[in-house]
């Protein structure tokens, strides 16, 4: 495992440096290294590491979500208002609709299978988007709360999509979908935010009244974040609660109630993210099965881009009658392109369950990561200074 970690970190870092030198997003190099080291090519990673790669990727996501929360100004998010809420579910709904309409025609799927595929594909990647939006926040780009809106939307739409996905899988297995399964979406979001805010207030009180080294405070925060995710999993099937939204809500509370400490935390978590980013994206690349990508026909590629157009339409509708100008609306649409984390996590589930559409779903998920994660990263990085004002 240590040998595998050394390969991941060193080769991931070298690839990131090379890609930055040629003015391309470093994520592309990390994904390529992951694909090459992974089982589908040279198979150089230890099985024991791959078996816990899901947990490692989750830790990296926790770090970036907490870092994002610690830089989110609640007053800016309140100013955005309606579009921030709509961005949590409307783009994903439009993308799922795109797969339902074109899935039967282009991939020969049934309507239910197309909906399952849409649910897998309906989430954007917080791991790609959130660091870029946090960079914009830290450097003063994006007026009117645009980065905050995108961060909130990219985190909440994961919850929405996964609940839809779980309900559709139950239907595919012959189980009945209850109204409660859809009520879990707002319940999960509301309870996650409430839990995060409550713990955030407790942390602010403790950190203000008890002297601790800042390093200890960071360790405490990380441990609480792990507990949030653990609570979500332990209550699965009993009570819907989003651990990831709780993490962001706690960070937002600390930022708004104790801004001086929040700035210290931002610096520390930025350093932690440097290594977390490498491990996260190399492992995402390692989870990609190239053989499935090669099996994909033209229809698979076409439907990915059609569904993205549907998603962009949904995103544009979220921004109608707002203070955002056309350039800012276009940039927000571009931020909705990258797929990676959720698709890597749940893309293989239908195949594992023995569903007839399993191979197709996994192939589209794999191909979407290979195409959209680099494409979205490049477009965001290349257009942010042209479309946004400082």
């Amino acid at each position: 495992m240590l040998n595998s970690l050394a390969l991941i970190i060193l080769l991931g870092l070298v690839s990131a440096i090379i890609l930055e030198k040629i003015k391309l997003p470093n994520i592309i190099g990390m994904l390529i290294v992951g694909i090459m080291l992974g089982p589908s090519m040279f198979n150089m990673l230890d099985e024991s590491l791959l078996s816990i790669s899901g947990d490692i990727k989750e830790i990296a996501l926790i770090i970036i979500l907490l870092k994002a929360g610690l830089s989110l100004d609640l007053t800016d998010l309140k100013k955005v208002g309606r579009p921030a809420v709509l961005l949590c579910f409307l783009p994903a709904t439009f993308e799922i609709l795109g797969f339902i309409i074109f899935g039967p025609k282009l991939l020969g799927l049934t309507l239910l299978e197309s909906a399952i595929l849409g649910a897998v594909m309906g989430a954007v990647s917080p791991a790609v988007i959130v660091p870029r939006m946090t960079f914009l926040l830290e450097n003063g780009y994006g007026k009117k709360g645009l980065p905050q809106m995108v961060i909130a939307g990219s985190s909440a739409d994961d919850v929405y999509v996964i609940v839809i996905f779980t309900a559709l899988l139950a239907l595919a297995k012959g189980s009945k979908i209850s109204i409660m399964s859809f009520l879990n979406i707002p319940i999960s979001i509301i309870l996650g935010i409430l839990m995060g805010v409550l713990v955030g207030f407790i942390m602010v009180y403790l950190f203000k009244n008890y002297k601790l080294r800042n390093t200890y405070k960071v360790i405490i925060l990380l441990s609480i974040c792990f507990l949030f995710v653990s609570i979500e999993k332990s209550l699965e099937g009993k009570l819907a609660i989003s651990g990831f939204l709780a993490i962001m809500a706690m960070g937002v509370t600390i930022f708004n109630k104790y801004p001086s400490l929040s700035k210290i935390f931002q610096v520390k978590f930025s350093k932690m993210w440097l290594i977390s980013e490498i491990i996260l994206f190399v492992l995402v690349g390692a989870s990609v099965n190239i053989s499935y990508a090669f099996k994909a026909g033209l229809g698979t590629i076409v439907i990915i881009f059609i569904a993205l157009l549907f998603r962009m339409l949904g995103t544009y509708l979220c921004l109608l009658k707002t203070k955002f100008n056309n350039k800012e609306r276009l940039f927000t649409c571009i931020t909705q392109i990258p797929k990676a984390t959720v698709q890597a996590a749940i893309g293989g589930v239908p195949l594992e369950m023995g569903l007839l559409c399993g191979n197709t779903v996994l192939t589209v998920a794999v191909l979407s990561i290979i195409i959209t994660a680099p494409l979205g990263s490049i477009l965001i990085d290349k257009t942010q200074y042209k479309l946004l004002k400082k």
Side-chain angles (χ1 to χ4, degrees):
M1 190 186 287
L2 288 175
N3 182 55
S4 297
L5 276 173
L7 284 173
I8 286 171
I9 294 167
L10 290 173
L11 295 179
L13 182 61
V14 169
S15 69
I17 292 169
I18 291 170
L19 267 290
E20 284 175 354
K21 291 286 184 186
I22 59 175
K23 307 293 183 184
L24 287 174
N26 55 21
I27 176 184
I28 300 173
M30 297 172 201
L31 286 171
I32 291 170
V33 166
I35 292 169
M36 292 175 67
L37 293 177
S40 63
M41 285 194 73
F42 298 118
N43 198 20
M44 296 175 70
L45 299 180
D46 191 75
E47 280 294 328
S48 56
L49 179 66
L50 290 174
S51 66
I52 60 166
S53 67
D55 296 309
I56 296 172
K57 285 187 279 188
E58 207 161 48
I59 291 169
L61 263 179
I62 285 168
I63 290 169
I64 190 55
L65 288 172
L66 181 55
K67 182 175 177 286
L70 288 165
S71 57
L72 264 179
D73 193 333
L74 206 56
T75 53
D76 285 343
L77 199 56
K78 283 178 182 176
K79 288 175 187 174
V80 177
R82 173 182 56 85
V85 176
L86 291 177
L87 208 62
C88 296
F89 67 92
L90 198 61
T93 303
F94 268 71
E95 188 165 8
I96 293 170
L97 185 63
F99 278 103
I100 290 172
I101 293 170
F102 289 93
K105 297 174 183 176
L106 293 174
L107 302 176
L109 301 175
T110 65
L111 286 176
L112 178 57
E113 288 170 341
S114 299
I116 291 170
L117 174 58
V120 170
M121 299 298 298
V124 289
S125 175
V128 178
I129 294 170
V130 172
R132 282 163 172 76
M133 295 305 106
T134 308
F135 171 81
L136 293 177
L137 277 175
E138 290 168 353
N139 290 275
Y141 282 92
K143 297 189 296 181
K144 309 162 194 168
L146 188 149
Q148 293 94 322
M149 175 185 71
V150 173
I151 289 171
S154 67
S155 304
D157 93 329
D158 285 7
V159 178
Y160 172 71
V161 163
I162 288 170
V163 172
I164 296 285
F165 176 66
T166 307
L168 290 171
L169 283 184
L171 192 61
K173 287 189 293 184
S175 307
K176 289 182 180 178
I177 297 180
S178 64
I179 296 172
M180 193 62 198
S181 62
F182 289 104
L183 284 176
N184 280 339
I185 297 169
I187 290 171
S188 174
I189 291 171
I190 291 167
L191 289 182
I193 291 171
L194 286 176
M195 181 167 71
V197 170
L198 176 62
V199 176
F201 274 110
I202 294 170
M203 289 299 101
V204 168
Y205 174 80
L206 290 175
F207 293 156
K208 279 185 174 179
N209 291 281
Y210 296 91
K211 288 187 176 180
L212 288 170
R213 284 175 58 185
N214 289 327
T215 305
Y216 292 164
K217 293 174 184 176
V218 168
I219 293 169
I220 291 168
L221 280 188
L222 268 181
S223 301
I224 289 169
C225 291
F226 297 159
L227 284 174
F228 284 157
V229 177
S230 180
I231 288 168
E232 177 185 354
K233 291 180 179 177
S234 64
L235 293 176
E236 197 170 334
K238 301 170 188 174
L239 182 66
I241 185 165
S242 171
F244 283 156
L245 284 181
I247 291 165
M248 283 196 66
M250 181 176 70
V252 170
T253 305
I254 294 170
F255 176 84
N256 286 273
K257 296 298 177 182
Y258 201 168
S260 58
L261 181 63
S262 178
K263 288 177 182 177
I264 295 169
F265 284 154
Q266 284 175 41
V267 173
K268 289 188 176 290
F269 281 109
S270 292
K271 292 174 181 176
M272 291 175 68
W273 175 242
L274 288 174
I275 188 166
S276 302
E277 182 183 35
I278 294 169
I279 295 172
L280 172 63
F281 286 110
V282 172
L283 287 176
V284 167
S287 67
V288 168
N289 191 322
I290 289 294
S291 62
Y292 284 116
F294 284 133
K295 290 177 186 175
L298 182 61
T300 309
I301 299 171
V302 170
I303 200 168
I304 289 171
F305 282 101
I306 289 174
L308 280 177
L309 289 175
F310 269 75
R311 185 180 192 92
M312 289 182 174
L313 175 60
T315 305
Y316 190 80
L317 291 176
C318 294
L319 304 177
L320 287 179
K321 295 184 179 179
T322 63
K323 294 179 180 178
F324 296 112
N325 60 40
N326 286 330
K327 285 185 177 181
E328 289 163 335
R329 291 174 187 177
L330 175 59
F331 182 78
T332 307
C333 289
I334 290 170
T335 65
Q336 301 299 298
I337 292 174
K339 312 280 181 185
T341 334
V342 174
Q343 288 70 32
I346 65 174
V349 173
L351 183 62
E352 291 165 11
M353 289 176 55
L355 297 183
L356 292 175
C357 63
N359 265 322
T360 304
V361 172
L362 185 55
T363 302
V364 178
V366 166
L367 205 61
S368 73
I369 295 170
I370 294 170
I371 293 172
T372 65
L375 177 65
S377 303
I378 290 169
L379 289 176
I380 291 170
D381 292 350
K382 297 295 182 185
T383 62
Q384 57 190 9
Y385 302 120
K386 296 175 183 176
L387 299 178
L388 301 180
K389 290 183 179 178
K390 192 162 186 178

